Structure formats: C-alpha cells, structure tokens
C-alpha cells in the first residue's frame, strides 16, 4: 500500500494532529491527555474447547476518556483484534459520542478469536469468562459494552446474564446495549447503524454539494460488508429508491448492473453462508468492487480498505463510512484532491451508539419506546450532526476560520469533513475537561 502507515494508533494521531491545526487554544499538556487512553485492561483466560483441549484467549477493554460520562463502545471478536486497534477504536468512540452530544465517553473491547472456527458453546464460554474477568471494569455507570464485528444480541445477552449473576439485586439492564428486545433491548437498535447511515446521507445530499445528486432515489450504491451494518444499510437505501449494484462479504463481491434483488441475496447468504455464487450475479474481488463506477460507496466491513494504493481509482462521488477507519489518511488527501466527498465514520456510523444511548435511557426508567419514537429521535440526531459539521465546514470555506501549521505558522487548506467533525468533538471534550476541573 505504497509504504503508508497502517498502524491504527499512528493513524488516529495523524487525524488528531490535523484537526488540532485548526484549534488555536489547546495547551500542549492537554493535547497529550486527550490522546492517551485512561485505562488499558488486558486479560488472558483459558477455555475448554468442545474437543476437550484447552486454549488461552486474550481479551481487551480500553477506556479512552470518561469526561462526558461512562465509557461506551463495542466488543469485537476477530483474529486481528490487538491492543493498538482497540485503543484507536476507543478514541474514535470518545470523539463520536462528543460529536453527537450523548453523555458517554469512549471505550472499546475485543477478544482475539476466530468466530468461524468456534461453536456456540465455545463462544458462550469465552463471553462469560471475558465478562467475569472484566467485572471490575465494566458497569452501568462506568463502562457499557455493545456489539461490534462478529458479536451480536446473543453475545450481549450472555454479558448481561454473567454480570447479573455476579451483581444480583440491582437493575443491571443498562450494563450492556444491543441486547435482545426481551431482555431490555431497544426497538431499532439492530438497524440503527445502517439506518443512521441513510439519515446522514439523505441530509448531506440535501446540501447540494454534489450537483448531480440531490437525493438517494436513483443513486447507484456499492456496499462492502453484508453483516449487521451492511445488510441494514442495503435495505434502507433500497427502500429509498437506490439501486444496490454490488455487495460483498469476506468471500468476495457480487455484482449486477441492473441492481441486486436484496431478498434473494439475503436468502442465499443465510442458506450458503457466503454471497459469492449467487445466481444472476457477476463475481469480483473486494478490491475490484471498491473501484466500481457508482454514486455512493459504503465501506461497512473492516479498516484500511481505501488506501494510498487504490484511492486514485475510486470512482464514487460520495463515500459514506459505515465501518470504522475504512479510509487511511493518505487516501483522505487523494480523495479530497479528486473532489470525492467522505462522510466520516464518526458521523456516518454514529446511529449505533445513539440508539445504544436510547436503550440505556429506557433501561434506567424501565421503559420501552416504540420504533417510531426511536427512529424519529435518531433521525433528528443524525440530521443535527450533519448540520453542525456542515455549518462549521462552511465557516472554513468562506475564510471565517483558518488552520495553521503549528510548526511553520503557515496557513493551511480548508479541512475535509472528517477533520471538521474531529475539531468539533475534540473542542467539546477539551472544554468539558477544563470545566470539570480535571485539568489541573
Ligand atoms: P459484522 O460482523 O456483522 O459484519 C462484518 C461484515 O464484514 C461481514 O459481512 C463480513 O463478511 C465482512 N468482512 C469481513 N472481513 C472482510 C474482508 N476482508 N473484506 C470484505 N468484507 C469483509 O460486523 P458489523 O457489526 O456489521 O460491523 C461492520 C463495521 O461497522 C465494523 O467496522 C464496525 O466497527 C462498524 N460499526 C458497527 C456498529 C454496529 O452497531 N454493529 C456500529 C458502528 C460501527
């Protein structure tokens, strides 16, 4: 990938420093505080597998910042989970919660494991043991997990149950979000991230920055990833009149220029476990798919998919980052030069944590809101978020605000949307740090 760094900590550092060039008043020490995680927790624990052998797994829970409230962030089960990745994702959660104005800090967790090689019984044991190892770390008012890649409502139910057994006699429902409805989950949480993507795209298009696209209806959309987020996003965009021309999972991509039949795709995926092989579609690689001619490209799988090596070949007019960190900093610059707009992860996938917050609020009050209530609140939050970032971006475009290279003192170019969103979030967390008196 042209020797660019893919180190997740360095990438978040580059993004932070870029945003900081547009913020005039952050003291040096405060910058260091905001960059560092508050607490890193790593556990190794043994599990007896179904064949009687014992394997030791490594789990992480990293709390980056709790200035606005309890740590909040998903738990990921993937072989590539490591400390650097979890730390960078925890930071992203801090900025995301601050940007959408919900009273949570940032955290993330994960277990390094391959769910495709583990039985339900083994996954249950891993989840229960991981939860009990993290019992002193997580809590309804300290740190609240949620689903992420290769975890789901079932995983959240096991976390809730384990916590409840260890801490009986309390209302423990707010310990975790993304639970099944019967256990205090919120209507709309399962769809919230994909639905949120739709709302932010709709609002962004209404600003008419992309002259030829005023609305979602009629757009040609490519989506990488067909999991919790990608599947919902595909259906949501399709319901608004978009044509989903390509979809992928880890097996590869399926393509139909006339638009894919999503019901048939879902049935095929549920039956065969993969997308590739779906009748009536062409097969291509994930790499080829990203470079397809289309209006909207939605990466909804893993990180670093749009990088120095392929950014110049991207033909989409708009990238909506449903996944976390799908675009590298070098790719950001290339896309910016090409005039391709990127709606960054901290806006585009913030619907998930927003409805997680609504679930937490419902759990405190022992209420269950109906789907229309949840979705109308979500829509307003997502629209407001786009409006705030767009307005701030315009203040840079017209020169009311400027950025300065802190080393040379030279004026720098107008920031992209990721940078503007980060400026807004970092300023909010910094101001709250000072107001609370955390900073000496
Ligand atoms: P998921 O596990 O349900 O789905 C992941 C999808 O990615 C699957 O379709 C899988 O086949 C595909 N995939 C895995 N490796 C791939 C590869 N190498 N190339 C192409 N596709 C690959 O996960 P999810 O919950 O849908 O999360 C997807 C992304 O969205 C992640 O980056 C996650 O951090 C982010 N996200 C999720 C939520 C949420 O509420 N679930 C919220 C915010 C952000």
């Amino acid at each position: 990938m042209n020797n660019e760094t893919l180190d997740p900590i360095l990438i978040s550092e580059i993004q932070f420093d870029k945003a900081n060039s547009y913020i005039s008043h952050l003291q040096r020490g405060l910058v260091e505080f905001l960059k560092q995680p508050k607490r890193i927790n790593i556990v190794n624990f043994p599990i007896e597998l179904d064949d009687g052998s014992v394997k030791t797994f490594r789990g992480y829970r990293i709390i980056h910042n709790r200035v606005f409230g309890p740590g909040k962030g998903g738990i990921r089960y993937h072989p590539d989970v490591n400390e650097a990745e979890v730390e960078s994702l925890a930071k992203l959660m801090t900025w995301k919660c601050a940007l959408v104005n919900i009273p949570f800090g940032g955290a993330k967790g994960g277990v390094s494991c391959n769910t495709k090689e583990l039985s339900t019984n083994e996954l249950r044991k891993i989840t229960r043991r991981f939860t009990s190892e993290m019992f002193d770390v997580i809590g309804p008012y300290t740190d609240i997990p949620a689903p992420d890649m290769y975890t789901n409502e079932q995983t959240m139910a096991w976390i809730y149950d384990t916590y409840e057994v260890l801490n009986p006699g309390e209302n423990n429902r707010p310990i975790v979000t993304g639970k099944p409805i019967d256990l205090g989950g919120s209507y709309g949480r399962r769809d919230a991230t994909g639905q949120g993507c739709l709302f932010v795209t709709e609002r962004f298009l209404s600003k008419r920055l992309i002259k030829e696209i005023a609305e979602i209806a009629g757009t040609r959309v490519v989506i990488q990833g067909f999991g919790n987020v990608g599947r919902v996003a595909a259906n949501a965009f399709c319901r608004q009149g978009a044509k989903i021309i390509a979809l992928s999972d880890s097996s590869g991509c399926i393509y139909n220029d006339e638009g894919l039949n999503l019901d048939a795709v879902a049935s095929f995926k549920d039956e065969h476990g993969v997308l590739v092989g779906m009748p009536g579609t062409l097969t291509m690689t994930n790499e080829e798919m990203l470079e397809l001619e289309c209006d909207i490209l939605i990466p909804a799988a893993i990180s670093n998919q749009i990088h120095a090596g392929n950014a110049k070949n991207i033909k989409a007019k708009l990238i909506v980052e449903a996944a976390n960190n799908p675009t590298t900093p070098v790719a950001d610059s290339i896309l910016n030069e090409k005039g391709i707009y990127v709606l960054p992860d901290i806006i585009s996938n913030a619907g998930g944590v927003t409805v997680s917050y609504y679930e937490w609020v419902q759990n405190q009050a022992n209420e269950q809101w109906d789907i229309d209530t949840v979705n109308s609140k979500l829509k307003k939050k997502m629209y407001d978020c786009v409006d705030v970032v767009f307005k701030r971006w315009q203040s840079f475009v017209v020169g009311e605000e400027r950025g300065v290279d802190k080393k040379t003192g030279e004026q720098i170019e107008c920031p992209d949307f990721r940078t503007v969103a980060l400026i807004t979030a970092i300023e909010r967390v910094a101001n709250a740090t000072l107001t609370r008196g955390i900073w000496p």
Side-chain angles (χ1 to χ4, degrees):
M1 295 186 196
N2 294 5
N3 289 334
E4 66 171 332
T5 184
L6 297 182
D7 176 337
I9 303 269
L10 271 179
I11 289 182
S12 47
E13 190 107 341
I14 291 167
Q15 291 170 342
F16 185 103
D17 289 342
K18 194 169 167 192
N20 191 22
S21 307
Y22 298 88
I23 306 173
S24 52
H25 56 276
L26 285 191
Q27 299 101 313
R28 192 170 169 72
L30 181 54
V31 168
E32 275 153 31
F33 169 74
L34 292 175
K35 282 183 178 179
Q36 295 301 326
K38 183 174 178 64
R39 199 188 280 189
I40 296 177
N41 308 280
I42 302 178
V43 288
N44 295 296
F45 53 91
I47 293 296
E48 185 181 8
L49 301 179
D50 293 348
D51 65 5
S53 65
V54 175
K55 184 167 177 191
T56 296
F57 291 87
R58 177 169 289 193
Y60 306 82
R61 187 73 189 170
I62 298 184
I63 299 170
H64 170 244
N65 188 293
R66 279 209 306 232
V67 169
F68 272 126
K72 186 82 192 84
I75 296 209
R76 178 177 286 200
Y77 286 177
H78 194 273
D80 294 342
V81 164
N82 60 56
E83 186 180 337
E85 182 187 66
V86 177
E87 184 180 322
S88 73
L89 291 167
K91 285 179 190 167
L92 199 56
M93 286 306 296
T94 301
W95 313 133
K96 201 179 291 179
C97 293
L99 183 69
V100 287
N101 253 331
I102 52 178
F104 286 145
K108 201 79 182 188
V111 176
S112 176
C113 64
N114 188 347
T115 56
K116 291 176 184 166
E117 292 171 359
L118 293 161
S119 68
T120 304
N121 180 41
E122 290 165 336
L123 283 170
R124 183 167 43 81
K125 284 194 206 169
I126 289 171
T127 306
R128 286 194 179 286
R129 184 66 194 254
F130 178 58
T131 307
S132 51
E133 295 278 355
M134 290 293 173
F135 180 67
D136 290 340
V137 176
I138 59 173
Y141 301 100
T142 51
D143 177 23
I144 307 147
D148 194 77
M149 282 189 76
Y150 297 104
T151 57
N152 54 27
E153 289 177 7
Q154 177 61 77
T155 326
M156 300 306 112
W158 291 328
I159 294 176
Y160 165 71
D161 183 65
T162 310
Y163 191 86
E164 166 88 355
V165 168
L166 294 170
N167 186 40
E170 303 287 332
N171 172 14
N172 289 311
R173 288 187 164 192
I175 175 60
V176 70
T177 59
K179 299 181 291 292
I181 298 287
D182 292 349
L183 285 180
S186 176
Y187 287 110
R189 173 60 187 90
R190 193 186 295 167
D191 290 0
T193 310
Q195 188 62 44
C197 269
L198 175 93
F199 290 145
V200 300
T201 308
E202 191 168 83
R203 190 62 163 182
F204 178 76
L205 291 178
S206 76
K207 309 285 180 195
R208 297 308 309 264
L209 269 187
I210 306 175
K211 296 276 174 298
E212 43 306 20
I213 317 177
E215 56 178 13
I216 286 168
T219 53
R220 291 163 63 78
V221 178
V222 168
I223 304 180
Q224 183 191 44
F226 197 62
N228 289 333
V229 179
R231 195 186 272 236
V232 172
N235 282 306
F237 276 75
C238 190
R239 276 196 301 272
Q240 291 296 313
K243 205 179 254 190
I244 314 298
I245 57 167
L247 280 169
S248 77
D249 61 14
S250 53
S251 73
C253 162
I254 53 170
Y255 172 81
N256 185 327
D257 198 51
E258 296 303 311
L260 295 159
N261 175 335
L262 295 183
D263 288 340
V265 171
S267 304
F268 187 87
K269 170 82 179 173
D270 292 342
E271 190 181 344
H272 301 275
V274 289
L275 291 174
V276 168
M278 164 90 195
T281 64
L282 295 175
T283 301
M284 59 179 78
T285 65
N286 263 285
E287 291 73 25
E288 288 166 333
M289 181 191 85
L290 294 169
E291 298 178 11
L292 280 171
E293 197 88 50
C294 65
D295 296 309
I296 303 173
L297 171 62
I298 307 181
I302 53 173
S303 59
N304 300 332
Q305 294 303 289
I306 305 171
H307 47 76
N310 65 4
K312 61 181 181 314
N313 302 327
I314 302 289
K315 297 173 196 71
K317 299 182 182 73
L318 173 67
I319 296 173
V320 181
E321 292 185 337
N324 284 313
N325 293 323
T327 312
T328 66
V330 176
D332 262 340
S333 303
I334 297 171
L335 295 169
N336 203 18
E337 274 167 29
K338 279 170 65 85
I340 297 175
Y341 292 107
V342 178
L343 272 178
D345 43 15
I346 67 169
I347 304 175
S348 300
N349 68 29
V353 73
T354 300
V355 178
S356 272
Y357 167 60
Y358 297 154
E359 180 174 331
W360 185 76
V361 171
Q362 292 170 72
N363 290 160
Q364 311 276 348
N366 270 317
E367 285 181 5
Q368 197 147 55
W369 304 345
D370 60 44
I371 184 70
D372 291 342
T373 304
V374 172
N375 276 342
S376 67
K377 279 172 171 285
L378 173 65
K379 183 172 181 175
K380 180 168 185 335
K381 253 304 182 215
M382 296 296 99
Y383 274 29
D384 287 352
C385 181
V386 173
D387 289 351
V388 163
V389 173
F390 190 78
K391 193 164 174 232
R392 188 82 189 261
W393 178 79
Q394 281 179 313
S395 76
F396 285 102
V397 173
V398 299
E400 281 168 12
E401 291 194 79
R402 292 191 169 85
V404 171
D405 184 315
K406 295 218 162 142
K407 284 196 190 111
T408 63
E410 279 170 25
Q411 193 179 314
I412 50 176
E413 60 185 5
C414 180
D416 55 18
F417 288 111
R418 183 188 318 283
T419 308
V420 176
L422 275 173
I423 296 167
T424 311
I426 291 168
E427 281 178 348
R428 284 179 180 170
V429 180
N431 289 341
T433 307
L434 297 175
T435 314
R436 279 185 57 169
I438 295 168
W439 186 246

